[in-house]
Amino acid sequence: MDIWRRCLTGDRFTDPYEGVIDELSRYFEIPPEKVCWICEHSAEMVAEEWHKTGKSTIPDEIHRFYQAQPLWLFGTLRYHTNQTQPHGVVIADALQHVPPGHHLDFGCGAATASLFFNALGWQTSLGDVSESAVNFARWRFEQRGIQGTFYNLETDELPLNTYDLITAFDVMTCVVDVPKALRRLHQSLKPGGYLLFNVDSRKPTPMTIWHLYDAHYPVIRHVRRIGFRSLPKLPPYPLYCYQKTDRSPLNAAAVGLLDRMQHNRFETTVREQAHSIAFHVKRLLRPYKEDINKFRTWLSR
C-alpha cells in the first residue's frame, strides 16, 4: 500500500488525493480547486455528456463515447485515492512467488496500476482504446522518468508471446467483443502467463449505461475455451485468475459447452436469489444468535 500511495503522490506530496489533484491540474492546465470539483462530480458530468449524445444503448456507440471522454480520468484517479484494497496490491500479494517480468495493463485508464507494477520491478506496457487516456498515461510516466511501452488498442497490434502477466481492471464490461479481446490477450501472453481481471458489472441505470453487461457470465463463459485454465479467484471483488494453456479443438469445444451451461442468465438468477434468501434469513436470525450458539455448543457435547 505504501508503494501504491507513492505512485499517486509522485513523491511531491504525502496525501494521495493532493497528488492526483496536482497531476490533473498540471496536465489539463486547470486550477486545483476546479480539478477538485470535477473529481467530486465527474460521474454526474459524464452522465450529462451522455445525455447530450442521445443516450444510445448500441454497444459500438457506447464504445466511441468512452474513447472521446477525458472526464473518466478525474473520477478514476479520485477512486484510486480511496481504495483500501486496490486490485494491483491484491495481485502483487498473490503473485509474490512469480518473479517480475513483462506486464501489460490492458485498458490502463489513468495508468496507476502500470506505475505500481513498474515500481515492483516489472517491465511495463500499457494500452487503452482512449487516446486521451494513453496520452495522460505517457505524461505520468515521463514526469517520473519511467520507461514504458504505450498502445492505442484501437489501432495498434499487441506483440505475440510477450507478456508474463496481463491485468485488466474495470475493463471487461466495456468490451464489445469479449471473445475477440480474450483471443488477443491469449496470443500476447507467453506460455504459462497469467491473466487477471475483474468484471465490474452493473444493473442498468442512467449512471451505468456504459457498462455493457449486468452480470459476470457474458465474460466468464468464454475464457477457458479460448485457451486458459482457471485458478482460484482472489477476494474480495472477486478477481478472476487464469493461466495460458494449450487446448485441442475438441477439448476447447467441450470446455466451452460446459461453461455455457454453468455461466448463463438462469444460473446467475438462481445464485442471486439464493444469496438474497440467505441474507434475509441471517438478518431474521440475528437476534437469536446467542441462543443458536448455545444450542450448537449443547449439540457438540
Side-chain angles (χ1 to χ4, degrees), residues 255-301:
V255 166
L257 178 61
L258 178 63
D259 283 352
R260 281 188 171 272
M261 295 172 61
Q262 289 183 329
H263 306 293
N264 50 61
R265 175 62 66 184
F266 175 76
E267 178 271 339
T268 298
T269 302
V270 170
R271 178 165 41 80
E272 288 177 349
Q273 290 295 324
H275 287 169
S276 177
I277 292 171
F279 171 79
H280 289 296
V281 169
K282 287 182 179 179
R283 189 172 63 175
L284 288 172
L285 295 178
R286 194 174 299 148
Y288 310 102
K289 183 177 180 179
E290 186 176 342
D291 293 333
I292 293 172
N293 289 336
K294 289 180 180 179
F295 182 66
R296 285 176 174 172
T297 302
W298 179 78
L299 286 177
S300 63
R301 290 176 181 173

Side-chain angles (χ1 to χ4, degrees), residues 133-149:
V134 174
N135 289 338
F136 181 65
R138 184 181 288 109
W139 180 85
R140 293 187 84 191
F141 270 63
E142 290 173 352
Q143 293 296 301
R144 293 162 172 79
I146 298 173
Q147 294 295 318
T149 304

